[in-house]
């Protein structure tokens, strides 16, 4: 499950909540968080489009390998461009499911516990997605989760319902049954 969205939209929180739920049901799962991957596997890469694409490629390769071993892989990464998400889909293959974790920009900025938006507005961070760098919302995600209108438990339940029983893409507002 590839979760894309702006910083502060709730990708990491939902990913960890889903992983906890899956573990409770004895389902092998792992979270690949963009920030954590940058600290290790993609250490040394910057925020240029080329570096972002390389980091996403690395996450997609790891996701593919783990998925083929039977794990549910939950990727929480901004993945700002459609071309990057297309590349990830091609690498991961049939197992790829795109989830757009959406929240209005102002809410993402309010939730910013790391102070990244403020630093970007002060020009301390170059190429910050949503301010000085673009984010292309997914055109046809498998699921949209609007975190401005839901609780974590609702988001996790939507993911469980959408991908445990559906073999087709599902787009459902949170709180409704797909």
């Amino acid at each position: 499950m590839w979760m894309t969205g702006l910083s502060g939209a709730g990708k990491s929180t939902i990913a960890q909540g889903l992983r906890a739920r899956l573990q409770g049901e004895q389902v092998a799962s792992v979270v690949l968080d963009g920030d954590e991957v940058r600290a290790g596997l993609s250490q040394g890469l910057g925020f240029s489009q080329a570096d972002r694409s390389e980091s996403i490629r690395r996450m997609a390769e790891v996701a593919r390998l783990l998925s083929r071993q039977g794990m549910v892989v939950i990727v929480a990464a901004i993945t700002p461009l459609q071309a990057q998400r297309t590349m990830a889909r091609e690498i991961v293959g049939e197992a790829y499911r795109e989830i757009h974790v959406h929240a209005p920009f102002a809410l993402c900025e309010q939730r910013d516990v790391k102070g990244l938006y403020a630093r970007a507005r002060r020009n301390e961070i170059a190429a910050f997605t949503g301010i000085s760098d673009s984010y292309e919302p997914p055109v046809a995600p498998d699921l949209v989760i609007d975190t401005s209108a839901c609780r974590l438990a609702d988001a996790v339940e939507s993911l469980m319902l959408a991908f445990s029983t559906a073999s087709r893409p599902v787009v459902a507002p949170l709180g409704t049954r797909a």
Side-chain angles (χ1 to χ4, degrees):
M1 294 185 204
W2 198 285
M3 295 187 194
T4 177
L6 291 172
S7 180
K11 299 175 303 298
S12 296
T13 302
I14 293 169
Q16 293 300 335
L18 178 59
R19 181 169 184 262
R21 171 81 179 268
L22 291 169
Q23 283 182 319
E25 296 187 13
Q26 305 300 306
V27 176
S29 61
V30 64
V31 171
L32 297 176
D33 184 275
D35 289 340
E36 292 177 6
V37 170
R38 279 196 169 278
L41 183 64
S42 291
Q43 186 177 13
L45 294 178
F47 290 94
S48 69
Q49 288 305 332
D51 283 356
R52 285 178 193 249
S53 292
E54 177 58 18
S55 183
I56 290 161
R57 186 194 68 75
R58 291 176 187 185
M59 281 189 281
E61 292 288 355
V62 171
R64 179 182 58 81
L65 292 170
L66 294 172
S67 178
R68 286 188 176 170
Q69 296 300 314
M71 297 193 76
V72 173
V73 182
I74 308 157
V75 176
I78 294 171
T79 323
L81 303 180
Q82 184 61 47
Q84 294 165 336
R85 294 187 296 271
T86 298
M87 174 187 60
R89 181 184 297 273
E90 289 170 358
I91 292 168
V92 173
E94 285 185 34
Y96 182 94
R97 299 292 180 268
E98 189 170 277
I99 296 94
H100 181 201
V101 179
H102 171 75
F105 182 82
L107 181 58
C108 291
E109 199 165 13
Q110 277 180 342
R111 291 176 176 166
D112 182 21
V113 296
K114 299 175 196 168
L116 299 174
Y117 283 96
R119 289 182 56 212
R121 288 196 182 282
R122 292 190 305 264
N123 294 317
E124 295 172 10
I125 300 175
F128 188 79
T129 305
I131 292 183
S132 55
D133 220 3
S134 64
Y135 177 79
E136 299 171 354
V139 177
D142 295 296
L143 182 68
V144 176
I145 298 175
D146 182 348
T147 62
S148 69
C150 74
R151 299 173 304 129
L152 174 59
D154 296 331
V156 170
E157 187 63 23
S158 289
L159 287 162
M160 294 294 291
L161 287 170
F163 299 114
S164 65
T165 60
S167 59
R168 60 179 173 69
V170 176
V171 177
L174 216 45
T176 64
R177 302 260 184 230

